[in-house]
């Protein structure tokens, strides 16, 4: 059991709902993941369609916490309007803030992220900021009142895994009281295990499951990977050594003779 | 007068409330959220928010996200 904002959760796996081959595949994968938090978004309503109710009904049937995002926003004004629309529509004050600064890498604009986070916290939101692995930005987000910070491991959808272990390990060490979720870049279950071994509190991913040949099987694989990583972190990973150390005791080894 | 709904032009004879526009747009209450000129409008203010010439309205619904 752990605490995310004010929610008590079993799973450390936060999962996206996009890119699946079908809604049914998304439903099954989400259930197989064991996740209790799913990310959702907003799109322009098509005239006469009534709204995205089929999707929303499906999400509600999963009985999970919903984390709306501000994907596609490039300005503070867009993020503020999107966050308020999401709060009304999804009936939650949780918001994953994405404010993109570079189209090629989808790297967040961290200067604007800090400014909009301050406004959103003032308006009563629980901000889940999507940020880079920049330590000082993460510290400033925590200073503003973020209980959760979500650094990328590598660019969104790239599946490149944990590109900067030094930065991530440093962030974990320097922000011991902040809930740190790896958001973006996880490609395979071993990436998620590594993140949890380092002491990260959870992982948020979408593409790695949705784009797998078998999304349901991959959701299950990530579930085990996260559990393994967390168990390893709690058990305490041994310190690496440069030299070999025999694991079998040498005392009483047959045929052993003192050379001098 | 012309307004933009989800970036598409719509002709109106006279200024009109967001509530009426939503009804014309076929949006069911509670299934969408709205921004007027990039500012959020809560459900409670649909009837009193009036669209003027050149205004924009975003009408959004839930969708998949990562």
């Amino acid at each position: 059991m752990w605490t995310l904002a004010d929610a008590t959760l079993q799973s450390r796996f936060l999962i996206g709902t996009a890119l699946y081959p079908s809604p049914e595949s998304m439903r099954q994968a989400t259930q197989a993941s064991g996740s209790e938090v799913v990310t959702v978004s907003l799109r322009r309503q098509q005239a006469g369609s009534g709204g995205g109710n089929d999707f929303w009904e499906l999400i509600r049937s999963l009985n999970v916490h919903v984390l709306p995002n501000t994907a596609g926003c490039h300005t503070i004004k867009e993020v503020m309007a999107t966050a308020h629309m999401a709060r009304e529509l999804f009936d939650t004050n949780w918001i994953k803030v994405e404010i993109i600064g570079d189209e090629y890498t989808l790297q967040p604009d961290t200067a604007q992220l800090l400014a909009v986070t301050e406004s959103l916290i003032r308006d009563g939101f629980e901000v889940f900021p999507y940020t880079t692995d920049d330590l000082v930005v993460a510290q400033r987000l925590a200073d503003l009142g973020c209980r959760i910070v979500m650094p990328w491991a590598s660019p969104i959808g790239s599946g490149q895994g944990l590109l900067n272990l030094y930065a991530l390990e440093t962030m974990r060490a320097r922000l011991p009281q902040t809930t740190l979720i790896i958001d973006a870049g996880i490609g395979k279950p071993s990436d998620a295990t590594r993140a949890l071994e380092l002491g990260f509190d959870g992982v948020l991913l979408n593409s790695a499951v949705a784009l797998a040949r078998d999304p349901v099987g991959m959701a299950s694989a990530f579930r085990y990977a996260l559990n393994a990583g967390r168990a390893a972190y709690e058990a305490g990973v041994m310190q690496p050594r440069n030299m070999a150390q025999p694991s079998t005791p040498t005392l009483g080894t047959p045929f052993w003779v003192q050379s001098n | 007068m012309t307004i933009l709904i989800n970036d598409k032009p719509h002709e109106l004879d006279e200024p009109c409330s967001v509530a009426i526009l939503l009804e014309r747009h076929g949006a069911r209450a509670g299934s969408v959220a709205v921004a007027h000129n990039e500012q959020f409008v809560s459900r409670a203010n649909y009837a009193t928010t009036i669209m003027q010439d050149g205004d924009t309205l975003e009408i959004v619904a839930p969708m998949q996200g990562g």
Side-chain angles (χ1 to χ4, degrees):
Chain A
M1 301 276 266
W2 67 297
T3 303
L4 178 66
D6 292 321
T8 303
L9 305 174
Q10 301 268 3
S11 170
R12 292 175 180 272
F13 192 176
L14 291 74
I15 194 163
T17 54
L19 303 174
Y20 285 92
S22 68
E24 178 59 15
S25 155
M26 185 271 282
R27 187 186 68 76
Q28 290 182 16
T30 306
Q31 287 184 329
S33 74
S35 178
E36 297 157 282
V37 180
V38 301
T39 51
V40 295
S41 193
L42 295 173
R43 71 170 164 206
R44 283 176 169 158
Q45 189 238 13
Q46 301 298 310
S49 69
N53 276 353
D54 292 346
F55 168 71
W56 185 217
E57 288 305 318
L58 176 56
I59 295 299
R60 275 204 275 226
S61 75
L62 295 170
N63 198 24
V64 289
H65 295 274
V66 172
L67 175 57
N69 69 27
T70 64
C73 289
H74 292 76
T75 66
I76 288 173
K77 204 169 181 183
E78 288 169 5
V79 169
M80 291 303 293
T82 303
H84 280 86
M85 289 192 288
R87 180 161 67 180
E88 185 182 71
L89 203 44
F90 296 114
D91 195 24
T92 176
N93 72 334
W94 288 12
I95 191 75
K96 172 184 161 180
V97 176
E98 288 182 49
I99 184 162
I100 300 302
D102 177 66
E103 281 304 320
Y104 186 71
T105 59
L106 297 180
Q107 182 166 332
D109 181 331
T110 49
Q112 291 204 92
L113 175 65
L114 288 167
V116 79
T117 293
E118 188 168 20
S119 299
L120 288 167
I121 288 175
R122 200 184 306 124
D123 286 356
F125 285 92
E126 184 77 50
V127 177
F128 292 59
Y130 161 63
T131 184
T132 64
D133 52 26
D134 186 297
L135 173 63
V136 177
V137 172
Q139 286 175 321
R140 294 294 88 82
L141 287 165
D143 292 345
L144 289 173
C146 288
R147 294 192 280 183
I148 300 138
V149 172
M150 303 205 296
W152 69 358
S154 49
I156 294 174
S158 69
Q160 295 196 49
L162 282 58
L163 286 184
N164 191 339
L165 278 176
Y166 169 79
L168 294 174
E169 283 186 280
T170 306
M171 188 184 291
R172 180 66 287 177
R174 297 290 293 142
L175 290 166
Q177 304 303 322
T178 304
T179 299
L180 294 179
I181 309 280
I182 294 286
D183 177 14
I186 296 289
K188 50 190 187 295
S190 54
D191 300 331
T193 304
R194 191 79 194 267
L196 274 281
E197 284 170 354
L198 293 177
F200 280 82
D201 296 283
V203 162
L204 196 173
L205 62 87
N206 192 155
S207 305
V209 166
L211 301 183
R213 183 169 47 78
D214 171 9
V216 179
M218 189 58 80
S220 179
F222 269 104
R223 180 183 194 160
Y224 292 126
L226 281 155
N227 287 342
R230 182 63 192 183
Y233 173 71
E234 288 176 359
V237 178
M238 69 167 278
Q239 287 298 311
R241 294 183 289 221
N242 286 331
M243 300 301 292
Q245 294 273 346
S247 46
T248 303
T250 50
L251 189 66
T253 303
F255 316 116
W256 182 83
V257 290
Q258 189 156 8
S259 50
N260 288 307
Chain B
M1 58 179 267
T2 305
I3 61 164
L4 289 175
I5 300 180
N6 287 347
D7 206 36
K8 291 199 173 113
H10 288 255
E11 294 298 326
L12 297 178
D13 296 333
E14 55 187 13
C16 174
S17 74
V18 168
I20 289 169
L21 283 173
L22 285 177
E23 200 177 312
R24 284 190 203 162
H25 202 72
R28 285 201 295 269
S31 66
V32 296
V34 164
H36 172 228
N37 293 343
E38 294 187 55
Q39 298 278 345
F40 168 66
V41 180
S42 70
R43 282 171 199 151
N45 293 325
Y46 287 171
T48 53
T49 303
I50 306 299
M51 300 287 294
Q52 306 287 347
D53 188 34
D55 282 1
T56 66
L57 189 68
E58 293 285 336
I59 307 173
V60 299
M63 71 169 281
Q64 299 83 348

